Amino acid sequence: MTLALHPHAEACGKTIVLGEHAVVHGTPALAAGLPRGVTLRARPLADPRQPSTLAIAAWDLCVPLTVESEHPVAQAALEVLGHCDGPLTGWAIEGDSTLPAGAGLGSSAALTVALARLALGPEAEAESVVEASLAGERIFHGEPSGIDSQVAARGGLLRFVRGHAPTPVPLSVPLRLLVVPSGVQRRTADQVARVRSRLDRLPGLARPLIDVLGRAVDEGIAALAAGDHGVLGEIMQVCHGVLAGLGVSAPALDAMCSTALRHGALGAKLTGAGGGGCILALPGPDPAPLVDAFVAQGYAPLLVELTP
Ligand code: PMV
């Protein structure tokens, strides 16, 4: 067992650019890291036998890390630290997050990856960090596809196929993305079940829609390689329509996508499980009018820039 935690660690949040839902059925997805999603600091307590604590200011969270705790965050944190052979008592872990919890931006994976890094250190291999994160993610999500932990640990832009190591996607020019949380709650598991039911009832119609979402990923990657954000925006438009056809959009998300297009976005779509959660818009050369439009409507958009 390692006796000490490292003093500082961070991990990315994630947004799925293309391929959500279809990725569950074996096609690729394209996801982007949201830098500094979760930042943690650890300091030793005076008594090393005292229970450790975990506090995240942005989520109003403060839990003792004890085996008796029924809080899923405490259970997941102990699972991650145990997986890493880290100390299970005697530490105060504090941190913050730029991610709203439960909005489909990978907040739990960012937390579990950052915890794994406190235990394993900054030099740890991404794959070991992901393995440890997944031990905690199973507490929150049952059997997750793993995309959140991969993006949380690696950041950047990744092409991901379930069960395989992800590949980084090169950019030819900077890529700005605007993530806008709707504030509408939903459960990922319900949304995944909705797609599965459509596949069961209307396989001849739904399977081709899944295939289109998968093909959109490689067409989107080709558009990024060519630096053609106009085409990427058009692909995002197609995907929003297809996801709506699979039954996973929502009136609030459709309205937010229309707002984005009216204020200069090159494309907009739901991102993640849909039904609520967030939309993703691709800003034009000047993102200011787009950001301002959402702020004026009371939303808290997150502008992310990925660089080549
Ligand atoms: O929980 P969210 O909103 O990040 O959505 C998960 C993405 C899905 O493709 C719908 C499910 C999965 O496990 O990949």
Side-chain angles (χ1 to χ4, degrees):
M1 176 178 296
T2 341
L3 293 175
L5 292 177
H6 290 256
H8 175 264
E10 60 183 55
C12 292
K14 72 98 194 14
T15 180
I16 298 182
V17 181
L18 295 167
E20 54 274 272
H21 283 291
V23 69
V24 172
H25 303 279
T27 64
L30 178 67
L34 307 174
R36 289 172 299 285
V38 167
T39 315
L40 296 179
R41 294 172 304 280
R43 64 179 167 79
L45 298 170
D47 179 354
R49 289 160 305 176
Q50 206 181 326
S52 294
T53 53
L54 172 62
I56 308 282
W59 302 338
D60 259 340
L61 176 89
C62 184
V63 284
L65 303 186
T66 58
V67 281
E68 296 79 35
S69 172
E70 287 182 5
H71 200 298
V73 170
Q75 293 175 8
L78 285 174
E79 205 60 47
V80 173
L81 295 172
H83 186 98
C84 300
D85 278 339
L88 300 179
T89 58
W91 288 82
I93 304 170
E94 286 172 1
D96 218 340
S97 175
T98 56
L99 310 168
L105 297 181
S107 54
S108 64
L111 176 64
T112 52
V113 162
L115 281 166
R117 284 199 173 127
L118 283 182
L120 298 174
E123 308 301 330
E125 295 280 331
E127 216 37 55
S128 319
V129 171
V130 167
E131 279 304 312
S133 158
L134 284 172
E137 281 284 273
R138 284 185 199 104
I139 306 266
F140 294 116
H141 301 300
E143 269 312 309
S145 69
I147 189 167
D148 288 21
S149 299
Q150 290 287 1
V151 180
R154 295 168 197 270
L157 199 58
L158 296 179
R159 182 184 188 275
F160 173 86
V161 178
R162 196 171 189 160
H164 298 270
T167 43
V169 173
L171 287 173
S172 53
V173 292
L175 174 67
R176 277 193 289 215
L177 297 168
L178 191 73
V179 181
V180 193
S182 68
V184 178
Q185 302 293 315
R186 85 285 180 269
R187 285 187 62 231
T188 299
D190 295 343
Q191 294 292 103
V192 170
R194 197 180 272 264
V195 172
R196 202 175 292 284
S197 138
R198 190 146 293 183
L199 267 169
D200 288 345
R201 290 153 62 88
L202 297 170
L205 300 183
R207 186 68 230 184
L209 297 183
I210 296 285
D211 292 339
V212 166
L213 292 174
R215 235 172 288 144
V217 170
D218 288 324
E219 301 224 357
I221 290 172
L224 284 168
D228 194 338
H229 290 179
V231 169
L232 179 64
E234 209 172 327
I235 294 170
M236 290 169 68
Q237 288 302 108
V238 170
C239 290
H240 183 74
V242 171
L243 287 161
L246 286 170
V248 293
S249 192
L253 301 180
D254 296 339
M256 290 168 76
C257 288
S258 301
T259 299
L261 295 175
R262 273 202 315 280
H263 292 88
L266 303 175
K269 60 182 278 292
L270 68 85
T271 176
C278 299
I279 67 143
L280 181 68
L282 181 63
D286 178 11
L290 184 60
V291 173
D292 292 349
F294 280 109
V295 171
Q297 292 190 12
Y299 293 105
L302 262 82
L303 186 62
V304 190
E305 178 158 339
L306 300 162
T307 46

